[in-house]
Every structure is written in C-alpha cells, then in structure tokens.
C-alpha cells in the first residue's frame, strides 16, 4: 500500500488556528466502521453514544513547554525544542539554526537563568544538549518555555492550558494528545454518571508521531519510539470491561497505540510500561479497542493510516471528503470523529 493512497485535498482555511471558546462545542462526525454511514453532531453529544459498562481510555500525558528561545554565545539567536530526556540534565533536541549549533556551542535562556551546551550530534539534525540550572527543571521550563505548537498553527496561543487536556497530569509530551482537548470536567462527569469507567494511561507524545511519511510504500516507514505506561488499575478495569461485555473506547490515537502495544493476543491486559514504535496501518488486526474518538489528521500521515486501519480506508476518506464539504475544522484545534460499530 502506498503513502499516496492516504492523500486528500484540504483547503488551507479549514486548518483550525485557535481553539473554540467552548471545548466541547466542537463538531462531532460519527462514522460506522462497518457500513461507512456518517452523521453530524457536536462533541457535547458524545455521552449519548456511550453505554453503562463501557470504558473510556484517556491519555493523561501533559505537554511540557518544550520550546526555548535564547541566544548563542556568539550573540546570535537560537531556538531549542526538547524531544527526549536522556538523564543527568541532557536532552535530545532540535535546534535552530542547526548548522550554528555544533558540539561545544553554549546557549543561554532567560538572562542566563538557564544555560546549556551542545554535547553531541545525532540523526536528522538532532542535538544532545546538556542544561545547567538551579531548582527543578520543569519549573524552570514553566517560566521560560513556550508551548511547541505544530507548524501549521500560525496564531499565538494566549492560554497554554488550551493545549492541555483537562485531565493531563504526567508531564512529558512534546505535543498534545489532541482528541482529548474537547473534554470538559462537566462532560467527563456526565459520562461517569452514565456508568462509563474512565481509565487513564500515559503515552508521552513525541514529534516523531507527526513526522511525514517519506517512503513510497508505507510498510517501509519507521516510527520513532515513545514512552507509554499501562498502570495496574487501568489493566484491571480494562479486563473487567471486556469480561462484562462492555466496549473499550480510546480517546485518541495515542491511547489506542498504548493499548495495542500492551494487549495480549486474546485482548487481555496486564500492567506494563516501556517504549513503543508500533505502526498501525491497514491490514493490522486490532486486539484491544472497540471504538475511537479522534481528530481529523494530516493527509498521508501515520495517524490517518491508523484510523484507516480501524475503519477502512475507503470509509475514512469518504468521511473526510464529507467533512471538507461541510466545512469542519481540521487538525489539533479542529473538530472530532467518533468511530465504532452500530453508532449511526
């Protein structure tokens, strides 16, 4: 199967630049994965599609303000994007301008409140940067860092919490698990009141998730690895849901990838944590999930391939074409889909 099989035409004006004032006021396109039938709703209608005994799986990872703007020791500007904590103050990063951030380059941020030195070079222009600071690094980042918004968002984000889910609590992501941005505390309460269990897993989203697929044949694409965790309480709740006949509904591709990484062949779970580079595309046999809440994804992306594996490429691309016709908002701050069986 070729990467070009997952292309669709998207007018640029449909790329959402800012979040809606009301989180759950976004539109919700429902897609029946068996029949391909679609219907149009709003996200606040989601509880009506959930049943007592279902389990809603949330990724509780929190985005760190991983974009640092500073200066090189020569006086020139520098930008650093944190990708992965390597321990002992060292981070794998992207730097700009990369060609002027060679090994030995000294960087400073916030009038020397945070300093760093480039200590190594890696693949695809990455740098290993060792930071020096006083106190707790995440607190320093909260003061000096900016949210690492995707490049297709050109507007400045006034409130950084709008790029966090209301249930985020474990810091470590370089990008938000955006399907969860639509939930409010009130909506989650309404869902729990219906008898739906809320289960939290963690996958720290890396920028590799959004890396373009450059291979012509999708099977040749290599995913970057991301750290994920399935706590014991989550594994128990998932097993009880499965044994009681309830549905497992993942919020976002990150929650889906976490469950599919750790699920046994029979669809059961046990507590686990580790790195995953699972790549889900059509032909994949799902072990863990019954339904999916997800945003609209970039053309030819691994995320669109995952959704197509779950609901069928033809069904998904037809639904995307309908969303374009109906002027849905796309990508991180855009509208959402609910995909499952017998839901339309």
């Amino acid at each position: 199967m070729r990467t070009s099989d997952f292309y669709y035409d998207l007018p640029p004006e449909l790329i959402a630049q800012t979040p809606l004032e009301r989180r759950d006021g976004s539109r919700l396109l429902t897609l029946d994965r068996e029949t391909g039938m679609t219907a149009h709703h709003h996200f606040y209608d989601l509880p009506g599609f959930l049943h007592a005994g279902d389990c809603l799986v949330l990724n509780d990872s929190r985005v760190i303000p991983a974009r640092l703007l500073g200066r090189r020791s020569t006086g020139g500007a520098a930008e650093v994007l944190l990708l992965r904590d390597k321990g002992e103050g060292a981070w794998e990063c992207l730097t700009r301008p990369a060609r002027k951030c060679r090994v030995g380059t000294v960087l400073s941020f916030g009038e020397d409140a945070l300093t760093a030195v480039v200590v190594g070079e890696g693949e695809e222009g990455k740098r290993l940067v060792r930071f020096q600071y006083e106190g707790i690094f995440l607190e320093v980042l909260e003061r000096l860092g900016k949210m690492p918004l995707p490049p297709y968002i050109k507007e400045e984000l006034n409130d950084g919490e709008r790029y966090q889910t209301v249930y985020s609590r474990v810091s470590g992501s370089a990008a938000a698990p955006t399907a969860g941005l639509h939930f409010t505390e009130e909506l989650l309460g309404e869902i729990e009141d219906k008898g739906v269990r809320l289960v939290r897993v963690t996958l720290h989203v890396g920028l590799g998730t959004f890396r373009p697929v450059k291979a012509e044949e999708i099977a040749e694409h290599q995913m970057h690895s991301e750290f994920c965790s399935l706590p014991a309480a989550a594994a128990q709740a998932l097993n009880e849901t499965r044994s009681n006949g309830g549905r497992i509904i993942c919020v976002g591709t990150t929650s889906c990838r976490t469950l599919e990484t750790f699920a046994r062949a029979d669809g059961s779970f046990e507590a686990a944590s580790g790195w995953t580079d699972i790549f889900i595309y059509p032909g994949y046999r799902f072990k863990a999930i019954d339904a999916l809440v997800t945003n609209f994804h970039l053309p030819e992306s691994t995320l669109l391939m995952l959704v197509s594996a779950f609901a069928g490429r033809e069904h998904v691309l037809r639904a995307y074409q309908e969303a374009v016709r109906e002027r849905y908002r796309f990508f991180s701050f855009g509208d959402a889909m609910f995909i499952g069986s017998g839901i339309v």
Side-chain angles (χ1 to χ4, degrees):
M1 188 166 282
R2 301 174 69 84
T3 299
S4 58
D5 292 333
F6 298 89
Y7 177 79
Y8 67 93
D9 189 40
L10 179 69
E13 67 269 18
L14 296 186
I15 300 174
Q17 294 296 312
T18 56
L20 294 180
E21 182 175 349
R22 177 178 174 178
R23 283 181 183 258
D24 63 357
S26 53
R27 298 169 75 184
L28 181 70
L29 177 68
T30 55
L31 170 63
D32 190 302
R33 62 189 291 236
E34 305 296 335
T35 67
M37 292 184 63
T38 57
H40 303 282
H41 307 272
H42 286 88
F43 201 84
Y44 52 71
D45 297 320
L46 180 65
F49 298 101
L50 308 180
H51 312 306
D54 287 344
C55 182
L56 193 67
V57 184
L58 312 171
N59 179 10
D60 64 5
S61 182
R62 185 170 176 82
V63 185
I64 61 175
R67 183 169 168 249
L68 290 165
L69 304 178
R71 307 201 73 79
R72 308 190 305 277
S73 53
T74 58
E79 179 178 337
V80 173
L81 182 63
L82 307 179
L83 299 179
R84 183 181 297 180
D85 185 356
K86 306 295 284 188
E88 299 181 350
W91 283 75
E92 182 181 78
C93 303
L94 290 175
T95 59
R96 186 184 298 173
R99 61 185 179 83
K100 294 188 177 181
C101 292
R102 300 297 187 186
V103 172
T105 301
V106 177
L107 308 170
S108 64
F109 311 92
E111 298 181 353
D112 294 334
L114 177 66
T115 60
V117 60
V118 180
V119 296
E121 299 184 10
E123 298 177 352
E124 300 178 341
K126 294 175 185 173
R127 301 288 186 264
L128 186 65
V129 179
R130 189 176 304 279
F131 291 91
Q132 297 177 331
Y133 53 92
E134 292 186 4
I136 299 173
F137 188 60
L138 284 178
E139 292 181 355
V140 175
L141 282 184
E142 291 290 341
R143 294 200 316 270
L144 302 179
K146 294 179 177 292
M147 281 295 170
L149 296 177
Y152 50 76
I153 294 178
K154 310 300 182 184
E155 297 286 336
E156 193 74 22
L157 182 63
N158 295 324
D159 179 6
E161 283 302 308
R162 292 307 308 272
Y163 196 56
Q164 305 278 13
T165 64
V166 297
Y167 48 78
S168 65
R169 60 185 182 186
V170 185
S171 294
S173 278
T178 55
L181 296 179
H182 306 280
F183 287 91
T184 64
E185 295 286 3
E186 293 76 17
L187 188 65
L188 291 170
E190 183 180 347
I191 289 169
E192 283 192 293
D193 287 344
K194 290 200 67 168
V196 177
R197 300 179 75 164
L198 302 183
V199 168
R200 290 167 173 80
V201 300
T202 304
L203 184 142
H204 291 317
V205 186
L207 295 183
T209 298
F210 308 102
R211 187 165 61 104
V213 178
K214 297 180 179 179
E216 290 187 8
E217 296 292 333
I218 62 174
E220 297 175 1
H221 177 73
Q222 179 62 48
M223 295 283 284
H224 286 195
S225 59
E226 296 164 310
F227 183 81
C228 55
S229 175
L230 177 67
Q236 179 179 343
L238 291 166
N239 288 332
E240 290 174 355
T241 298
R242 182 71 77 209
S243 63
N244 293 333
R247 296 177 301 171
I248 294 174
I249 301 164
C250 280
V251 175
T253 58
T254 58
S255 296
C256 171
R257 293 176 68 239
T258 300
L259 295 199
E260 292 297 327
T261 293
F262 295 130
R264 300 187 182 105
D266 63 357
S268 63
F269 301 89
E270 64 179 345
S273 63
W275 295 88
T276 183
D277 61 356
I278 188 171
F279 181 18
I280 298 175
Y281 54 89
Y284 179 86
R285 295 179 64 107
F286 285 84
K287 305 184 294 291
I289 79 168
D290 300 298
L292 178 67
V293 178
T294 186
N295 278 13
F296 292 92
H297 304 296
L298 276 73
E300 301 183 335
S301 65
T302 61
L303 306 181
L304 181 56
M305 293 171 188
L306 183 153
V307 175
S308 297
F310 185 64
R313 185 181 71 91
E314 294 79 8
H315 288 342
V316 170
L317 290 181
R318 193 178 303 116
Y320 270 53
Q321 291 168 359
E322 183 174 345
V324 169
R325 286 195 303 271
E326 296 295 327
R327 311 296 289 177
Y328 273 64
R329 304 168 79 242
F330 279 66
F331 305 163
S332 295
F333 289 139
D335 296 313
M337 299 181 73
F338 179 54
I339 305 172
S341 300
I343 61 172
V344 176

